[in-house]
Amino acid sequence: MAKSDNIPSPAVRRLSLYLRQLEVFHDTDRRKVSSRELGEALGLSDAQVRKDLAYFGQFGHPGIGYRVSELIQRVRQILGTDKKSNVLLVGAGNLGRALIAYRGFSKRGFEVVAVFDNDPKLIGQKMDGQNSMRIQSLKDMPKMVRQHNIRLGILAVPGTAAQSAADTMIAAGIRGILNFAPTTLQADTAISVSSVDLAVHLEQLSFQLGVTIT
Amino acid sequence: MAKSDNIPSPAVRRLSLYLRQLEVFHDTDRRKVSSRELGEALGLSDAQVRKDLAYFGQFGHPGIGYRVSELIQRVRQILGTDKKSNVLLVGAGNLGRALIAYRGFSKRGFEVVAVFDNDPKLIGQKMDGQNSMRIQSLKDMPKMVRQHNIRLGILAVPGTAAQSAADTMIAAGIRGILNFAPTTLQADTAISVSSVDLAVHLEQLSFQLGVTIT
DNA sequence: TTTTGTGAATTGCTTCACAGCA
DNA sequence: TGCTGTGAAGCAATTCACAAAA
């Protein structure tokens, strides 16, 4: 019954957006929602919404729509976020500290349980706020990964340090990396990498402005 | 001669990556590069690289490849980053402060010249570091946009405040928004929006782990 | 009626493969 | 020979449109 074959990756990306929007509906006590309504909120067609969800199973009810809380549960299961998972962070610079302070991760089931940096001046220091985490040396990573069963890591170091830090993460047993460094990471195909380059996004917008009929 | 019709958006996204990689080559004194080499560094096929670049013009030299510095110039021109452009930031929370401190933007031609927040406790305060910018009220935005000819804005406020902040930005004359709030912004089609949802990226990785043959 | 799930048609993107230039 | 630029082919994703279910 594993339908998980041949699912377009854009469909997987949108699945996260559906979940986000469904949670908004849930918080405002909406019980059910149609593909048209869900799509409208996200700027997608109703057909797109139905086809995307259908890749993963039959969640809807003809004539009714989708039951919000039921669909939220299903989607979380598919994404693997129905249970909390532990995440580590490499890089305790400005961006790293902001990411730690960001509440959005834990809200979605991801708990940052360890922070690493190579700067001797930072190692041993506490992260800001009430959080009792201390910054550790990259050497301690394998031990922490085992102890806390960590599979995902966030990489927020300068571009020059990124590949070597990624190698360390992979050697320590990390299976997926969210990369904020402006570098294309080379890694085994068994490792999932998702990259966010902040400048690249601004360049996209800059290009759009040039193209748009002014 | 405006080829700018019918360019696949994935090609535009990759254009930024080409530029990033070309700058690496440039910094290591590479003079020319082939589509195969450029693709290899980014995990793309040579044909993809050639086709992408060809959408924008004829930049290569048969038998030779692409001249690095020449191509950098051309790509910057296409992206509109050959001249510095001024950017504003809305939201002086953790993420906003990290983005200000991030050197990567100015390195790519984007200068954050104004910061806004609605929190009266923050207004008037200086941002960290040597930077002399003071946090301003959203009311002052239209004036600043005019004075500094700002077209792009970075939105780093909580999801609940995002749409209203975006409306303010658009009313002030902002033409493109880089949105970090976990919200789909509703905006006129003349406005470009690029959204980065950090949790969504982690969810993608989480899904991959579930699918990968463990 | 309303709204899903889904084959079929369509649109969009990538890869192939080769002519032409250096 | 080495490498680009590009039509043509192939593959992937989206939209259409309708049978079936409530």
Side-chain angles (χ1 to χ4, degrees), chain A residues 16 20 42 79 108 184 194 197 201 203-204 206, chain B residues 16 20 42 79 108 184 192 194 197 201 203-204 206:
Chain A
S16 289
R20 209 177 65 183
L42 295 167
L79 292 175
R108 303 298 286 272
T184 300
S194 175
D197 185 326
H201 284 268
E203 285 173 351
Q204 298 305 302
S206 173
Chain B
S16 288
R20 210 178 65 183
L42 295 167
L79 292 174
R108 305 297 287 272
T184 301
S192 305
S194 175
D197 185 325
H201 284 268
E203 284 172 353
Q204 298 305 300
S206 172

mmCIF file with all atom_site columns, all heavy atoms in Angstrom, chain A residues 16 20 42 79 108 184 194 197 201 203-204 206, chain B residues 16 20 42 79 108 184 192 194 197 201 203-204 206:
data_model
loop_
_atom_site.group_PDB
_atom_site.id
_atom_site.type_symbol
_atom_site.label_atom_id
_atom_site.label_alt_id
_atom_site.label_comp_id
_atom_site.label_asym_id
_atom_site.label_entity_id
_atom_site.label_seq_id
_atom_site.pdbx_PDB_ins_code
_atom_site.Cartn_x
_atom_site.Cartn_y
_atom_site.Cartn_z
_atom_site.occupancy
_atom_site.B_iso_or_equiv
_atom_site.pdbx_formal_charge
_atom_site.auth_seq_id
_atom_site.auth_comp_id
_atom_site.auth_asym_id
_atom_site.auth_atom_id
_atom_site.pdbx_PDB_model_num
ATOM 1   N N   . SER A 1 16  ? 3.718  20.744 3.476   1.00 0.00 ? 16  SER A N   1
ATOM 2   C CA  . SER A 1 16  ? 4.033  21.544 4.667   1.00 0.00 ? 16  SER A CA  1
ATOM 3   C C   . SER A 1 16  ? 3.158  22.790 4.737   1.00 0.00 ? 16  SER A C   1
ATOM 4   O O   . SER A 1 16  ? 2.728  23.197 5.810   1.00 0.00 ? 16  SER A O   1
ATOM 5   C CB  . SER A 1 16  ? 5.497  21.975 4.648   1.00 0.00 ? 16  SER A CB  1
ATOM 6   O OG  . SER A 1 16  ? 6.348  20.888 4.892   1.00 0.00 ? 16  SER A OG  1
ATOM 7   N N   . ARG A 1 20  ? 0.460  23.953 7.604   1.00 0.00 ? 20  ARG A N   1
ATOM 8   C CA  . ARG A 1 20  ? 0.504  25.266 8.253   1.00 0.00 ? 20  ARG A CA  1
ATOM 9   C C   . ARG A 1 20  ? -0.854 25.947 8.194   1.00 0.00 ? 20  ARG A C   1
ATOM 10  O O   . ARG A 1 20  ? -1.364 26.465 9.185   1.00 0.00 ? 20  ARG A O   1
ATOM 11  C CB  . ARG A 1 20  ? 1.534  26.121 7.509   1.00 0.00 ? 20  ARG A CB  1
ATOM 12  C CG  . ARG A 1 20  ? 2.213  27.153 8.337   1.00 0.00 ? 20  ARG A CG  1
ATOM 13  C CD  . ARG A 1 20  ? 3.245  27.881 7.508   1.00 0.00 ? 20  ARG A CD  1
ATOM 14  N NE  . ARG A 1 20  ? 2.649  28.646 6.421   1.00 0.00 ? 20  ARG A NE  1
ATOM 15  C CZ  . ARG A 1 20  ? 3.351  29.331 5.514   1.00 0.00 ? 20  ARG A CZ  1
ATOM 16  N NH1 . ARG A 1 20  ? 4.675  29.307 5.561   1.00 0.00 ? 20  ARG A NH1 1
ATOM 17  N NH2 . ARG A 1 20  ? 2.753  30.003 4.568   1.00 0.00 ? 20  ARG A NH2 1
ATOM 18  N N   . LEU A 1 42  ? -3.734 29.693 0.028   1.00 0.00 ? 42  LEU A N   1
ATOM 19  C CA  . LEU A 1 42  ? -2.308 29.521 -0.270  1.00 0.00 ? 42  LEU A CA  1
ATOM 20  C C   . LEU A 1 42  ? -1.942 29.939 -1.689  1.00 0.00 ? 42  LEU A C   1
ATOM 21  O O   . LEU A 1 42  ? -0.798 29.797 -2.113  1.00 0.00 ? 42  LEU A O   1
ATOM 22  C CB  . LEU A 1 42  ? -1.921 28.048 -0.066  1.00 0.00 ? 42  LEU A CB  1
ATOM 23  C CG  . LEU A 1 42  ? -2.020 27.538 1.380   1.00 0.00 ? 42  LEU A CG  1
ATOM 24  C CD1 . LEU A 1 42  ? -1.933 26.026 1.428   1.00 0.00 ? 42  LEU A CD1 1
ATOM 25  C CD2 . LEU A 1 42  ? -0.931 28.162 2.230   1.00 0.00 ? 42  LEU A CD2 1
ATOM 26  N N   . LEU A 1 79  ? 4.693  13.584 7.234   1.00 0.00 ? 79  LEU A N   1
ATOM 27  C CA  . LEU A 1 79  ? 5.926  14.364 7.343   1.00 0.00 ? 79  LEU A CA  1
ATOM 28  C C   . LEU A 1 79  ? 6.837  13.842 8.447   1.00 0.00 ? 79  LEU A C   1
ATOM 29  O O   . LEU A 1 79  ? 8.009  14.206 8.525   1.00 0.00 ? 79  LEU A O   1
ATOM 30  C CB  . LEU A 1 79  ? 5.603  15.838 7.598   1.00 0.00 ? 79  LEU A CB  1
ATOM 31  C CG  . LEU A 1 79  ? 4.926  16.590 6.449   1.00 0.00 ? 79  LEU A CG  1
ATOM 32  C CD1 . LEU A 1 79  ? 4.549  17.998 6.877   1.00 0.00 ? 79  LEU A CD1 1
ATOM 33  C CD2 . LEU A 1 79  ? 5.854  16.646 5.243   1.00 0.00 ? 79  LEU A CD2 1
ATOM 34  N N   . ARG A 1 108 ? 6.588  23.297 15.757  1.00 0.00 ? 108 ARG A N   1
ATOM 35  C CA  . ARG A 1 108 ? 6.327  22.320 14.708  1.00 0.00 ? 108 ARG A CA  1
ATOM 36  C C   . ARG A 1 108 ? 6.958  20.959 14.994  1.00 0.00 ? 108 ARG A C   1
ATOM 37  O O   . ARG A 1 108 ? 7.048  20.120 14.096  1.00 0.00 ? 108 ARG A O   1
ATOM 38  C CB  . ARG A 1 108 ? 6.847  22.839 13.352  1.00 0.00 ? 108 ARG A CB  1
ATOM 39  C CG  . ARG A 1 108 ? 6.254  24.182 12.955  1.00 0.00 ? 108 ARG A CG  1
ATOM 40  C CD  . ARG A 1 108 ? 4.746  24.123 12.786  1.00 0.00 ? 108 ARG A CD  1
ATOM 41  N NE  . ARG A 1 108 ? 4.338  23.453 11.580  1.00 0.00 ? 108 ARG A NE  1
ATOM 42  C CZ  . ARG A 1 108 ? 4.183  24.061 10.423  1.00 0.00 ? 108 ARG A CZ  1
ATOM 43  N NH1 . ARG A 1 108 ? 4.442  25.330 10.329  1.00 0.00 ? 108 ARG A NH1 1
ATOM 44  N NH2 . ARG A 1 108 ? 3.773  23.379 9.376   1.00 0.00 ? 108 ARG A NH2 1
ATOM 45  N N   . THR A 1 184 ? 27.233 25.070 -1.891  1.00 0.00 ? 184 THR A N   1
ATOM 46  C CA  . THR A 1 184 ? 26.613 23.805 -2.261  1.00 0.00 ? 184 THR A CA  1
ATOM 47  C C   . THR A 1 184 ? 27.378 22.687 -1.579  1.00 0.00 ? 184 THR A C   1
ATOM 48  O O   . THR A 1 184 ? 28.558 22.488 -1.849  1.00 0.00 ? 184 THR A O   1
ATOM 49  C CB  . THR A 1 184 ? 26.650 23.608 -3.785  1.00 0.00 ? 184 THR A CB  1
ATOM 50  O OG1 . THR A 1 184 ? 25.941 24.668 -4.416  1.00 0.00 ? 184 THR A OG1 1
ATOM 51  C CG2 . THR A 1 184 ? 25.992 22.281 -4.167  1.00 0.00 ? 184 THR A CG2 1
ATOM 52  N N   . SER A 1 194 ? 18.951 20.423 2.545   1.00 0.00 ? 194 SER A N   1
ATOM 53  C CA  . SER A 1 194 ? 18.066 21.490 2.092   1.00 0.00 ? 194 SER A CA  1
ATOM 54  C C   . SER A 1 194 ? 18.762 22.813 2.373   1.00 0.00 ? 194 SER A C   1
ATOM 55  O O   . SER A 1 194 ? 19.173 23.061 3.501   1.00 0.00 ? 194 SER A O   1
ATOM 56  C CB  . SER A 1 194 ? 16.739 21.396 2.849   1.00 0.00 ? 194 SER A CB  1
ATOM 57  O OG  . SER A 1 194 ? 15.914 22.477 2.526   1.00 0.00 ? 194 SER A OG  1
ATOM 58  N N   . ASP A 1 197 ? 19.676 30.031 1.054   1.00 0.00 ? 197 ASP A N   1
ATOM 59  C CA  . ASP A 1 197 ? 20.646 31.101 0.888   1.00 0.00 ? 197 ASP A CA  1
ATOM 60  C C   . ASP A 1 197 ? 19.881 32.417 0.852   1.00 0.00 ? 197 ASP A C   1
ATOM 61  O O   . ASP A 1 197 ? 19.153 32.713 -0.083  1.00 0.00 ? 197 ASP A O   1
ATOM 62  C CB  . ASP A 1 197 ? 21.443 30.899 -0.403  1.00 0.00 ? 197 ASP A CB  1
ATOM 63  C CG  . ASP A 1 197 ? 22.557 31.930 -0.554  1.00 0.00 ? 197 ASP A CG  1
ATOM 64  O OD1 . ASP A 1 197 ? 22.368 33.088 -0.124  1.00 0.00 ? 197 ASP A OD1 1
ATOM 65  O OD2 . ASP A 1 197 ? 23.613 31.577 -1.100  1.00 0.00 ? 197 ASP A OD2 1
ATOM 66  N N   . HIS A 1 201 ? 17.604 34.589 -2.305  1.00 0.00 ? 201 HIS A N   1
ATOM 67  C CA  . HIS A 1 201 ? 16.196 34.994 -2.332  1.00 0.00 ? 201 HIS A CA  1
ATOM 68  C C   . HIS A 1 201 ? 16.038 36.460 -2.694  1.00 0.00 ? 201 HIS A C   1
ATOM 69  O O   . HIS A 1 201 ? 15.135 36.828 -3.456  1.00 0.00 ? 201 HIS A O   1
ATOM 70  C CB  . HIS A 1 201 ? 15.541 34.698 -0.983  1.00 0.00 ? 201 HIS A CB  1
ATOM 71  C CG  . HIS A 1 201 ? 15.231 33.257 -0.784  1.00 0.00 ? 201 HIS A CG  1
ATOM 72  N ND1 . HIS A 1 201 ? 14.021 32.699 -1.111  1.00 0.00 ? 201 HIS A ND1 1
ATOM 73  C CD2 . HIS A 1 201 ? 15.983 32.243 -0.331  1.00 0.00 ? 201 HIS A CD2 1
ATOM 74  C CE1 . HIS A 1 201 ? 14.053 31.410 -0.843  1.00 0.00 ? 201 HIS A CE1 1
ATOM 75  N NE2 . HIS A 1 201 ? 15.224 31.097 -0.374  1.00 0.00 ? 201 HIS A NE2 1
ATOM 76  N N   . GLU A 1 203 ? 18.066 38.137 -4.513  1.00 0.00 ? 203 GLU A N   1
ATOM 77  C CA  . GLU A 1 203 ? 18.406 38.258 -5.929  1.00 0.00 ? 203 GLU A CA  1
ATOM 78  C C   . GLU A 1 203 ? 17.213 37.874 -6.810  1.00 0.00 ? 203 GLU A C   1
ATOM 79  O O   . GLU A 1 203 ? 16.990 38.475 -7.863  1.00 0.00 ? 203 GLU A O   1
ATOM 80  C CB  . GLU A 1 203 ? 19.617 37.385 -6.262  1.00 0.00 ? 203 GLU A CB  1
ATOM 81  C CG  . GLU A 1 203 ? 20.923 37.984 -5.755  1.00 0.00 ? 203 GLU A CG  1
ATOM 82  C CD  . GLU A 1 203 ? 22.118 37.062 -5.924  1.00 0.00 ? 203 GLU A CD  1
ATOM 83  O OE1 . GLU A 1 203 ? 21.920 35.879 -6.277  1.00 0.00 ? 203 GLU A OE1 1
ATOM 84  O OE2 . GLU A 1 203 ? 23.245 37.501 -5.689  1.00 0.00 ? 203 GLU A OE2 1
ATOM 85  N N   . GLN A 1 204 ? 16.464 36.880 -6.396  1.00 0.00 ? 204 GLN A N   1
ATOM 86  C CA  . GLN A 1 204 ? 15.264 36.513 -7.131  1.00 0.00 ? 204 GLN A CA  1
ATOM 87  C C   . GLN A 1 204 ? 14.314 37.692 -7.221  1.00 0.00 ? 204 GLN A C   1
ATOM 88  O O   . GLN A 1 204 ? 13.782 38.008 -8.284  1.00 0.00 ? 204 GLN A O   1
ATOM 89  C CB  . GLN A 1 204 ? 14.540 35.333 -6.448  1.00 0.00 ? 204 GLN A CB  1
ATOM 90  C CG  . GLN A 1 204 ? 15.357 34.067 -6.385  1.00 0.00 ? 204 GLN A CG  1
ATOM 91  C CD  . GLN A 1 204 ? 15.837 33.627 -7.747  1.00 0.00 ? 204 GLN A CD  1
ATOM 92  O OE1 . GLN A 1 204 ? 15.037 33.405 -8.632  1.00 0.00 ? 204 GLN A OE1 1
ATOM 93  N NE2 . GLN A 1 204 ? 17.153 33.560 -7.936  1.00 0.00 ? 204 GLN A NE2 1
ATOM 94  N N   . SER A 1 206 ? 15.043 40.832 -6.828  1.00 0.00 ? 206 SER A N   1
ATOM 95  C CA  . SER A 1 206 ? 15.674 41.871 -7.626  1.00 0.00 ? 206 SER A CA  1
ATOM 96  C C   . SER A 1 206 ? 15.439 41.621 -9.116  1.00 0.00 ? 206 SER A C   1
ATOM 97  O O   . SER A 1 206 ? 15.097 42.528 -9.875  1.00 0.00 ? 206 SER A O   1
ATOM 98  C CB  . SER A 1 206 ? 17.171 41.910 -7.322  1.00 0.00 ? 206 SER A CB  1
ATOM 99  O OG  . SER A 1 206 ? 17.837 42.802 -8.193  1.00 0.00 ? 206 SER A OG  1
ATOM 100 N N   . SER B 1 16  ? 21.274 32.554 -9.709  1.00 0.00 ? 16  SER B N   1
ATOM 101 C CA  . SER B 1 16  ? 21.917 33.032 -8.483  1.00 0.00 ? 16  SER B CA  1
ATOM 102 C C   . SER B 1 16  ? 23.001 32.072 -8.020  1.00 0.00 ? 16  SER B C   1
ATOM 103 O O   . SER B 1 16  ? 24.053 32.493 -7.536  1.00 0.00 ? 16  SER B O   1
ATOM 104 C CB  . SER B 1 16  ? 20.881 33.178 -7.362  1.00 0.00 ? 16  SER B CB  1
ATOM 105 O OG  . SER B 1 16  ? 20.036 34.270 -7.601  1.00 0.00 ? 16  SER B OG  1
ATOM 106 N N   . ARG B 1 20  ? 27.050 32.719 -7.537  1.00 0.00 ? 20  ARG B N   1
ATOM 107 C CA  . ARG B 1 20  ? 27.753 32.397 -6.292  1.00 0.00 ? 20  ARG B CA  1
ATOM 108 C C   . ARG B 1 20  ? 28.988 31.557 -6.574  1.00 0.00 ? 20  ARG B C   1
ATOM 109 O O   . ARG B 1 20  ? 30.076 31.826 -6.075  1.00 0.00 ? 20  ARG B O   1
ATOM 110 C CB  . ARG B 1 20  ? 26.782 31.614 -5.394  1.00 0.00 ? 20  ARG B CB  1
ATOM 111 C CG  . ARG B 1 20  ? 26.992 31.802 -3.937  1.00 0.00 ? 20  ARG B CG  1
ATOM 112 C CD  . ARG B 1 20  ? 25.948 31.029 -3.154  1.00 0.00 ? 20  ARG B CD  1
ATOM 113 N NE  . ARG B 1 20  ? 26.069 29.582 -3.345  1.00 0.00 ? 20  ARG B NE  1
ATOM 114 C CZ  . ARG B 1 20  ? 25.229 28.705 -2.807  1.00 0.00 ? 20  ARG B CZ  1
ATOM 115 N NH1 . ARG B 1 20  ? 24.194 29.119 -2.085  1.00 0.00 ? 20  ARG B NH1 1
ATOM 116 N NH2 . ARG B 1 20  ? 25.403 27.420 -3.005  1.00 0.00 ? 20  ARG B NH2 1
ATOM 117 N N   . LEU B 1 42  ? 27.876 22.405 -8.653  1.00 0.00 ? 42  LEU B N   1
ATOM 118 C CA  . LEU B 1 42  ? 26.552 22.699 -8.104  1.00 0.00 ? 42  LEU B CA  1
ATOM 119 C C   . LEU B 1 42  ? 25.612 21.498 -8.156  1.00 0.00 ? 42  LEU B C   1
ATOM 120 O O   . LEU B 1 42  ? 24.445 21.594 -7.786  1.00 0.00 ? 42  LEU B O   1
ATOM 121 C CB  . LEU B 1 42  ? 25.925 23.863 -8.879  1.00 0.00 ? 42  LEU B CB  1
ATOM 122 C CG  . LEU B 1 42  ? 26.650 25.201 -8.744  1.00 0.00 ? 42  LEU B CG  1
ATOM 123 C CD1 . LEU B 1 42  ? 26.151 26.197 -9.764  1.00 0.00 ? 42  LEU B CD1 1
ATOM 124 C CD2 . LEU B 1 42  ? 26.441 25.747 -7.333  1.00 0.00 ? 42  LEU B CD2 1
ATOM 125 N N   . LEU B 1 79  ? 20.466 40.012 -12.950 1.00 0.00 ? 79  LEU B N   1
ATOM 126 C CA  . LEU B 1 79  ? 19.787 39.963 -11.653 1.00 0.00 ? 79  LEU B CA  1
ATOM 127 C C   . LEU B 1 79  ? 19.535 41.368 -11.095 1.00 0.00 ? 79  LEU B C   1
ATOM 128 O O   . LEU B 1 79  ? 18.764 41.532 -10.148 1.00 0.00 ? 79  LEU B O   1
ATOM 129 C CB  . LEU B 1 79  ? 20.616 39.156 -10.654 1.00 0.00 ? 79  LEU B CB  1
ATOM 130 C CG  . LEU B 1 79  ? 20.733 37.658 -10.940 1.00 0.00 ? 79  LEU B CG  1
ATOM 131 C CD1 . LEU B 1 79  ? 21.694 37.004 -9.959  1.00 0.00 ? 79  LEU B CD1 1
ATOM 132 C CD2 . LEU B 1 79  ? 19.365 36.985 -10.859 1.00 0.00 ? 79  LEU B CD2 1
ATOM 133 N N   . ARG B 1 108 ? 26.554 40.872 -1.454  1.00 0.00 ? 108 ARG B N   1
ATOM 134 C CA  . ARG B 1 108 ? 25.886 40.629 -2.735  1.00 0.00 ? 108 ARG B CA  1
ATOM 135 C C   . ARG B 1 108 ? 25.169 41.854 -3.275  1.00 0.00 ? 108 ARG B C   1
ATOM 136 O O   . ARG B 1 108 ? 24.332 41.735 -4.164  1.00 0.00 ? 108 ARG B O   1
ATOM 137 C CB  . ARG B 1 108 ? 24.904 39.454 -2.598  1.00 0.00 ? 108 ARG B CB  1
ATOM 138 C CG  . ARG B 1 108 ? 25.543 38.180 -2.072  1.00 0.00 ? 108 ARG B CG  1
ATOM 139 C CD  . ARG B 1 108 ? 26.605 37.655 -3.038  1.00 0.00 ? 108 ARG B CD  1
ATOM 140 N NE  . ARG B 1 108 ? 26.050 37.063 -4.220  1.00 0.00 ? 108 ARG B NE  1
ATOM 141 C CZ  . ARG B 1 108 ? 25.702 35.802 -4.326  1.00 0.00 ? 108 ARG B CZ  1
ATOM 142 N NH1 . ARG B 1 108 ? 25.862 34.996 -3.304  1.00 0.00 ? 108 ARG B NH1 1
ATOM 143 N NH2 . ARG B 1 108 ? 25.210 35.317 -5.442  1.00 0.00 ? 108 ARG B NH2 1
ATOM 144 N N   . THR B 1 184 ? 1.234  32.821 4.327   1.00 0.00 ? 184 THR B N   1
ATOM 145 C CA  . THR B 1 184 ? 1.143  33.149 2.911   1.00 0.00 ? 184 THR B CA  1
ATOM 146 C C   . THR B 1 184 ? 0.592  34.555 2.786   1.00 0.00 ? 184 THR B C   1
ATOM 147 O O   . THR B 1 184 ? -0.534 34.815 3.190   1.00 0.00 ? 184 THR B O   1
ATOM 148 C CB  . THR B 1 184 ? 0.234  32.153 2.176   1.00 0.00 ? 184 THR B CB  1
ATOM 149 O OG1 . THR B 1 184 ? 0.770  30.844 2.329   1.00 0.00 ? 184 THR B OG1 1
ATOM 150 C CG2 . THR B 1 184 ? 0.147  32.498 0.699   1.00 0.00 ? 184 THR B CG2 1
ATOM 151 N N   . SER B 1 192 ? 6.264  41.361 -5.840  1.00 0.00 ? 192 SER B N   1
ATOM 152 C CA  . SER B 1 192 ? 6.932  40.054 -5.776  1.00 0.00 ? 192 SER B CA  1
ATOM 153 C C   . SER B 1 192 ? 7.133  39.647 -4.327  1.00 0.00 ? 192 SER B C   1
ATOM 154 O O   . SER B 1 192 ? 7.578  40.448 -3.507  1.00 0.00 ? 192 SER B O   1
ATOM 155 C CB  . SER B 1 192 ? 8.294  40.113 -6.468  1.00 0.00 ? 192 SER B CB  1
ATOM 156 O OG  . SER B 1 192 ? 8.135  40.581 -7.793  1.00 0.00 ? 192 SER B OG  1
ATOM 157 N N   . SER B 1 194 ? 8.781  36.501 -1.902  1.00 0.00 ? 194 SER B N   1
ATOM 158 C CA  . SER B 1 194 ? 9.539  35.265 -1.780  1.00 0.00 ? 194 SER B CA  1
ATOM 159 C C   . SER B 1 194 ? 9.526  34.871 -0.316  1.00 0.00 ? 194 SER B C   1
ATOM 160 O O   . SER B 1 194 ? 9.889  35.658 0.542   1.00 0.00 ? 194 SER B O   1
ATOM 161 C CB  . SER B 1 194 ? 10.965 35.500 -2.275  1.00 0.00 ? 194 SER B CB  1
ATOM 162 O OG  . SER B 1 194 ? 11.753 34.359 -2.071  1.00 0.00 ? 194 SER B OG  1
ATOM 163 N N   . ASP B 1 197 ? 10.211 29.736 4.983   1.00 0.00 ? 197 ASP B N   1
ATOM 164 C CA  . ASP B 1 197 ? 9.653  29.240 6.232   1.00 0.00 ? 197 ASP B CA  1
ATOM 165 C C   . ASP B 1 197 ? 10.610 28.181 6.772   1.00 0.00 ? 197 ASP B C   1
ATOM 166 O O   . ASP B 1 197 ? 10.741 27.093 6.224   1.00 0.00 ? 197 ASP B O   1
ATOM 167 C CB  . ASP B 1 197 ? 8.267  28.652 6.006   1.00 0.00 ? 197 ASP B CB  1
ATOM 168 C CG  . ASP B 1 197 ? 7.605  28.247 7.319   1.00 0.00 ? 197 ASP B CG  1
ATOM 169 O OD1 . ASP B 1 197 ? 8.316  27.792 8.238   1.00 0.00 ? 197 ASP B OD1 1
ATOM 170 O OD2 . ASP B 1 197 ? 6.380  28.375 7.427   1.00 0.00 ? 197 ASP B OD2 1
ATOM 171 N N   . HIS B 1 201 ? 11.274 23.866 5.857   1.00 0.00 ? 201 HIS B N   1
ATOM 172 C CA  . HIS B 1 201 ? 12.473 23.188 5.364   1.00 0.00 ? 201 HIS B CA  1
ATOM 173 C C   . HIS B 1 201 ? 12.819 21.978 6.216   1.00 0.00 ? 201 HIS B C   1
ATOM 174 O O   . HIS B 1 201 ? 13.197 20.928 5.699   1.00 0.00 ? 201 HIS B O   1
ATOM 175 C CB  . HIS B 1 201 ? 13.645 24.164 5.313   1.00 0.00 ? 201 HIS B CB  1
ATOM 176 C CG  . HIS B 1 201 ? 13.571 25.109 4.165   1.00 0.00 ? 201 HIS B CG  1
ATOM 177 N ND1 . HIS B 1 201 ? 14.156 24.842 2.960   1.00 0.00 ? 201 HIS B ND1 1
ATOM 178 C CD2 . HIS B 1 201 ? 12.957 26.290 4.025   1.00 0.00 ? 201 HIS B CD2 1
ATOM 179 C CE1 . HIS B 1 201 ? 13.907 25.843 2.130   1.00 0.00 ? 201 HIS B CE1 1
ATOM 180 N NE2 . HIS B 1 201 ? 13.190 26.732 2.747   1.00 0.00 ? 201 HIS B NE2 1
ATOM 181 N N   . GLU B 1 203 ? 10.717 20.215 7.860   1.00 0.00 ? 203 GLU B N   1
ATOM 182 C CA  . GLU B 1 203 ? 9.704  19.198 7.571   1.00 0.00 ? 203 GLU B CA  1
ATOM 183 C C   . GLU B 1 203 ? 10.031 18.430 6.296   1.00 0.00 ? 203 GLU B C   1
ATOM 184 O O   . GLU B 1 203 ? 9.800  17.225 6.209   1.00 0.00 ? 203 GLU B O   1
ATOM 185 C CB  . GLU B 1 203 ? 8.316  19.853 7.463   1.00 0.00 ? 203 GLU B CB  1
ATOM 186 C CG  . GLU B 1 203 ? 7.751  20.221 8.827   1.00 0.00 ? 203 GLU B CG  1
ATOM 187 C CD  . GLU B 1 203 ? 6.477  21.025 8.736   1.00 0.00 ? 203 GLU B CD  1
ATOM 188 O OE1 . GLU B 1 203 ? 6.081  21.426 7.615   1.00 0.00 ? 203 GLU B OE1 1
ATOM 189 O OE2 . GLU B 1 203 ? 5.854  21.268 9.777   1.00 0.00 ? 203 GLU B OE2 1
ATOM 190 N N   . GLN B 1 204 ? 10.582 19.136 5.309   1.00 0.00 ? 204 GLN B N   1
ATOM 191 C CA  . GLN B 1 204 ? 10.991 18.457 4.084   1.00 0.00 ? 204 GLN B CA  1
ATOM 192 C C   . GLN B 1 204 ? 12.030 17.387 4.391   1.00 0.00 ? 204 GLN B C   1
ATOM 193 O O   . GLN B 1 204 ? 11.948 16.256 3.923   1.00 0.00 ? 204 GLN B O   1
ATOM 194 C CB  . GLN B 1 204 ? 11.589 19.451 3.085   1.00 0.00 ? 204 GLN B CB  1
ATOM 195 C CG  . GLN B 1 204 ? 10.623 20.521 2.619   1.00 0.00 ? 204 GLN B CG  1
ATOM 196 C CD  . GLN B 1 204 ? 9.356  19.946 2.047   1.00 0.00 ? 204 GLN B CD  1
ATOM 197 O OE1 . GLN B 1 204 ? 9.405  19.202 1.084   1.00 0.00 ? 204 GLN B OE1 1
ATOM 198 N NE2 . GLN B 1 204 ? 8.224  20.233 2.659   1.00 0.00 ? 204 GLN B NE2 1
ATOM 199 N N   . SER B 1 206 ? 12.583 15.982 7.266   1.00 0.00 ? 206 SER B N   1
ATOM 200 C CA  . SER B 1 206 ? 11.953 14.937 8.070   1.00 0.00 ? 206 SER B CA  1
ATOM 201 C C   . SER B 1 206 ? 11.239 13.927 7.177   1.00 0.00 ? 206 SER B C   1
ATOM 202 O O   . SER B 1 206 ? 11.345 12.710 7.364   1.00 0.00 ? 206 SER B O   1
ATOM 203 C CB  . SER B 1 206 ? 10.962 15.582 9.034   1.00 0.00 ? 206 SER B CB  1
ATOM 204 O OG  . SER B 1 206 ? 10.209 14.598 9.703   1.00 0.00 ? 206 SER B OG  1
#
